Amino acid sequence: MLEISRLQLVSGQKILLNDINLKLKCGHCIGILGANGAGKSSLLKAIGQDLPYTGKILWQQKPLASFSARELAENMVFLPQHSSLNFAFMVQEVIELGLIHHQQHLSRSQQQRLLAQVSADFELSDLQQQNYLKLSGGEKQRVHAARSWLQILSSPTPKIVLLDEPSSALDLKHQHDLLQQAVKLAEAQHLVLIVLHDLNLAARYCDRLLLLQQGNLFGYGTTADMLTAQSIDELYHYQTEVYQYKNQIRIL
């Protein structure tokens, strides 16, 4: 479980996050929604220990602030919207970076099996020997997603998976592919947190939603309870129609 209590994050005179209190259980795919500047990315960075904050963030009852760099890598994966890599590595070499902290526990055959699995999952099998720098933006994002998934799958430890607008550079098919893989991680009892702007994608793939408004927690609960016309209007100042049929939600 991830427990957040009295979390506050300040930059200069601006409060980015204000008194956030949450208990998030493993096994959920949680979409983080809110208007620009609501604090979505700041929340992920605070959990990822990339920004200083006040309050407490506990993972499995232990303060994340006390984790060593290695412990963080063993318990958490962070996939940002844009990943910076300016070396002419082959695609396979970039993906294999996900094995750095776990390869001593895996045989070479196990490593190759996992590499083949994530490469197939993100449709990179035919690009293994390509120069990473010559890929398109969407292909690069899929490479980093595969690297992150390899890090997750290479050890049995339940992990916090932080995905900051991971589908923004992807075409329609690969957006759905990535989010389907995120749901599988939740089903495997990892805790998945995804910042999304597409409400229909959130409705389709997230079983819980965390709503932020100007740095404050607006709401947390099931997708059906959180994704209403009223909440969308209050968060985005935009009127929509929300349709629910059986277990499907559609926003127009």
Side-chain angles (χ1 to χ4, degrees):
M1 177 182 288
L2 182 69
E3 299 179 65
I4 300 172
S5 59
R6 305 191 69 180
L7 175 64
Q8 184 156 335
L9 181 59
V10 178
S11 177
Q13 300 298 314
K14 185 176 181 181
I15 298 176
L16 302 179
L17 295 170
N18 181 43
D19 196 28
I20 304 295
N21 296 277
L22 287 163
K23 291 185 179 181
L24 307 176
K25 295 182 180 180
C26 294
H28 291 299
C29 185
I30 302 171
I32 303 176
L33 306 182
N36 293 336
K40 303 181 297 297
S41 295
S42 296
L43 178 60
L44 290 195
K45 290 177 181 178
I47 295 171
Q49 307 302 295
D50 286 336
L51 290 175
Y53 58 85
T54 59
K56 292 183 179 180
I57 305 178
L58 306 180
W59 173 241
Q60 312 294 34
Q61 300 182 333
K62 181 179 177 181
L64 277 174
S66 70
F67 280 45
S68 67
R70 184 177 186 86
E71 287 176 320
L72 285 174
E74 291 173 347
N75 287 273
M76 185 185 304
V77 172
F78 189 9
L79 179 63
Q81 183 178 359
H82 302 291
S83 298
S84 177
L85 180 62
N86 296 313
F87 296 96
F89 291 136
M90 292 186 299
V91 167
Q92 178 177 329
E93 294 174 319
V94 178
I95 299 174
E96 286 179 332
L97 293 174
L99 288 168
I100 287 177
H101 294 286
H102 304 294
Q103 58 187 355
Q104 68 271 27
H105 304 301
L106 299 170
S107 67
R108 186 58 182 167
S109 62
Q110 289 173 317
Q111 294 177 37
Q112 290 300 313
R113 178 181 58 80
L114 290 173
L115 174 64
Q117 177 183 333
V118 298
S119 298
D121 287 341
F122 292 98
E123 296 191 352
L124 297 167
S125 301
D126 294 335
L127 298 178
Q128 295 292 300
Q129 305 307 312
Q130 293 289 318
N131 182 338
Y132 167 84
L133 296 179
K134 294 183 179 180
L135 301 180
S136 70
E139 288 171 332
K140 289 178 179 177
Q141 184 69 347
R142 283 157 49 204
V143 170
H144 286 290
R147 171 185 56 76
S148 299
W149 258 249
L150 185 59
Q151 181 181 345
I152 296 164
L153 298 177
S154 60
S155 81
T157 306
K159 292 179 176 59
I160 307 169
V161 183
L162 306 174
L163 308 175
D164 193 357
E165 298 186 50
S167 60
S168 61
L170 303 180
D171 60 35
L172 180 63
K173 177 184 184 300
H174 291 109
Q175 287 181 1
H176 288 277
D177 287 348
L178 186 145
L179 291 171
Q180 287 167 6
Q181 294 300 324
V183 170
K184 289 181 181 178
L185 292 181
E187 291 172 346
Q189 294 306 302
H190 299 288
L191 174 60
V192 183
L193 301 174
I194 313 177
V195 171
L196 290 169
H197 282 297
D198 189 318
L199 301 187
N200 282 304
L201 287 178
R204 181 167 180 175
Y205 292 106
C206 300
D207 62 298
R208 297 286 189 278
L209 293 180
L210 195 165
L211 309 183
L212 294 173
Q213 184 181 55
Q214 296 180 338
N216 295 289
L217 179 63
F218 182 87
Y220 174 68
T222 66
T223 299
D225 287 342
M226 293 292 103
L227 208 55
T228 65
Q230 180 179 348
S231 65
I232 294 170
D233 188 15
E234 291 189 41
L235 285 177
Y236 297 98
H237 304 293
Y238 185 79
Q239 293 185 350
T240 60
E241 295 182 6
V242 179
Y243 295 93
Q244 295 190 28
Y245 177 71
K246 296 184 178 179
N247 293 323
Q248 296 184 351
I249 302 173
R250 183 72 177 171
I251 297 98
L252 298 176

Coordinates of all heavy atoms in Angstrom, one line a residue, residues 1 9 23 38 44 57 59 66 74 86 89 99-100 105 112 117 124 165 186 201-202 219 225 228:
M1 N 0.8 -1.2 0.0 CA 0.0 0.0 0.0 C 0.9 1.2 0.0 O 1.9 1.3 0.6 CB -0.9 0.0 1.2 CG -1.8 1.3 1.3 SD -2.8 1.3 2.8 CE -4.0 0.1 2.4
L9 N 3.7 20.5 -1.3 CA 4.8 20.8 -2.2 C 4.7 22.2 -2.6 O 3.7 22.7 -3.2 CB 4.7 19.8 -3.4 CG 5.8 19.9 -4.5 CD1 7.2 19.7 -3.9 CD2 5.5 18.9 -5.6
K23 N -4.7 6.8 0.7 CA -4.3 5.4 0.9 C -4.6 4.6 -0.4 O -5.8 4.5 -0.7 CB -4.9 4.7 2.1 CG -4.5 5.3 3.4 CD -5.1 4.5 4.6 CE -4.6 5.1 5.9 NZ -5.1 4.3 7.0
A38 N -2.9 21.5 -12.3 CA -3.6 20.9 -11.1 C -2.7 20.3 -10.1 O -3.1 20.1 -8.9 CB -4.7 20.0 -11.6
L44 N 3.3 12.9 -9.0 CA 4.1 11.8 -9.4 C 5.6 12.0 -9.0 O 6.3 11.1 -8.5 CB 4.1 11.5 -10.9 CG 2.8 10.9 -11.5 CD1 3.0 10.4 -12.9 CD2 2.2 9.8 -10.6
I57 N 5.2 10.0 2.8 CA 4.8 9.1 1.8 C 5.4 7.7 2.2 O 6.7 7.5 2.2 CB 5.3 9.5 0.4 CG1 4.9 10.9 0.1 CG2 4.8 8.5 -0.7 CD1 5.4 11.4 -1.3
W59 N 5.6 3.5 1.6 CA 5.4 2.4 0.7 C 5.6 1.1 1.5 O 6.7 0.9 2.1 CB 6.3 2.4 -0.5 CG 6.3 1.2 -1.4 CD1 7.4 0.4 -1.7 CD2 5.2 0.7 -2.1 NE1 7.0 -0.6 -2.5 CE2 5.7 -0.4 -2.8 CE3 3.9 1.1 -2.3 CZ2 4.8 -1.2 -3.7 CZ3 3.0 0.4 -3.1 CH2 3.5 -0.7 -3.8
S66 N 13.3 7.4 3.0 CA 14.5 6.7 3.7 C 15.0 5.6 2.7 O 16.0 5.0 3.0 CB 14.0 6.0 4.9 OG 13.1 4.9 4.7
E74 N 14.3 -0.7 -7.1 CA 13.7 -2.0 -6.9 C 12.2 -2.0 -6.6 O 11.5 -3.0 -6.7 CB 14.5 -2.8 -5.8 CG 15.9 -3.2 -6.2 CD 16.7 -3.7 -5.0 OE1 16.2 -3.6 -3.8 OE2 17.8 -4.3 -5.2
N86 N 20.6 10.8 -25.5 CA 21.2 11.3 -26.7 C 22.5 10.5 -27.2 O 23.4 11.1 -27.8 CB 21.6 12.8 -26.4 CG 20.4 13.7 -26.2 OD1 19.5 13.6 -27.0 ND2 20.5 14.5 -25.2
F89 N 22.7 4.4 -29.0 CA 22.5 3.0 -28.6 C 21.6 2.3 -29.6 O 20.7 2.9 -30.2 CB 21.9 2.9 -27.2 CG 22.8 3.3 -26.1 CD1 22.4 4.1 -25.1 CD2 24.2 2.9 -26.0 CE1 23.2 4.5 -24.0 CE2 25.0 3.3 -25.0 CZ 24.5 4.1 -24.0
L99 N 17.3 -4.0 -17.0 CA 17.8 -5.2 -16.2 C 18.9 -4.8 -15.2 O 19.3 -5.7 -14.5 CB 18.3 -6.2 -17.2 CG 17.3 -7.0 -18.0 CD1 18.0 -7.8 -19.1 CD2 16.5 -8.0 -17.1
I100 N 19.4 -3.6 -15.2 CA 20.6 -3.2 -14.5 C 20.5 -3.7 -13.0 O 21.5 -4.2 -12.5 CB 20.8 -1.7 -14.5 CG1 21.3 -1.3 -15.9 CG2 21.8 -1.3 -13.5 CD1 21.5 0.2 -16.1
H105 N 20.1 -11.7 -10.6 CA 19.2 -12.7 -10.1 C 18.6 -13.5 -11.2 O 17.8 -14.5 -10.9 CB 18.1 -12.1 -9.3 CG 18.6 -11.2 -8.1 ND1 19.4 -11.7 -7.1 CD2 18.5 -9.9 -7.9 CE1 19.7 -10.7 -6.3 NE2 19.1 -9.6 -6.7
Q112 N 16.8 -13.1 -21.7 CA 16.4 -13.1 -23.1 C 14.9 -13.3 -23.3 O 14.3 -12.7 -24.2 CB 17.2 -14.1 -23.8 CG 18.7 -13.8 -24.0 CD 18.9 -12.5 -24.7 OE1 18.3 -12.3 -25.8 NE2 19.8 -11.7 -24.2
Q117 N 9.8 -10.8 -24.6 CA 8.4 -10.5 -24.2 C 8.0 -9.1 -24.3 O 7.0 -8.7 -24.9 CB 8.1 -11.0 -22.8 CG 6.7 -10.7 -22.3 CD 6.5 -11.2 -20.8 OE1 7.2 -12.1 -20.3 NE2 5.6 -10.5 -20.1
L124 N 8.4 -4.0 -30.9 CA 9.8 -3.5 -31.1 C 10.7 -4.6 -31.6 O 11.9 -4.4 -31.7 CB 10.3 -2.9 -29.8 CG 9.6 -1.6 -29.4 CD1 10.0 -1.3 -27.9 CD2 9.9 -0.5 -30.3
E165 N 1.6 10.9 -18.5 CA 1.2 11.1 -19.9 C 1.9 10.1 -20.8 O 2.5 10.6 -21.8 CB 1.3 12.5 -20.3 CG 0.5 13.5 -19.5 CD 0.5 14.9 -20.1 OE1 0.3 15.1 -21.3 OE2 0.8 15.8 -19.3
A186 N -1.5 -3.9 -13.1 CA -2.4 -3.8 -11.9 C -2.9 -5.2 -11.6 O -3.0 -5.5 -10.4 CB -3.5 -2.8 -12.2
L201 N -10.0 7.5 -22.5 CA -9.0 6.5 -22.2 C -9.0 6.2 -20.7 O -8.9 5.0 -20.3 CB -7.6 7.0 -22.6 CG -7.3 7.0 -24.1 CD1 -5.9 7.5 -24.3 CD2 -7.4 5.6 -24.7
A202 N -9.1 7.2 -19.8 CA -9.2 7.0 -18.4 C -10.4 6.1 -18.1 O -10.3 5.2 -17.2 CB -9.2 8.3 -17.7
G219 N -11.1 14.5 -5.4 CA -11.8 13.3 -5.1 C -11.0 12.1 -5.5 O -10.0 12.1 -6.3
D225 N -17.9 6.6 -10.2 CA -18.3 7.6 -9.2 C -17.6 8.9 -9.5 O -18.2 10.0 -9.2 CB -17.9 7.1 -7.8 CG -18.8 6.0 -7.3 OD1 -19.9 5.9 -7.9 OD2 -18.4 5.3 -6.3
T228 N -18.1 12.1 -13.7 CA -19.5 12.5 -13.9 C -19.4 13.9 -14.6 O -18.4 14.6 -14.6 CB -20.2 12.7 -12.6 OG1 -19.6 13.8 -11.8 CG2 -20.2 11.4 -11.8

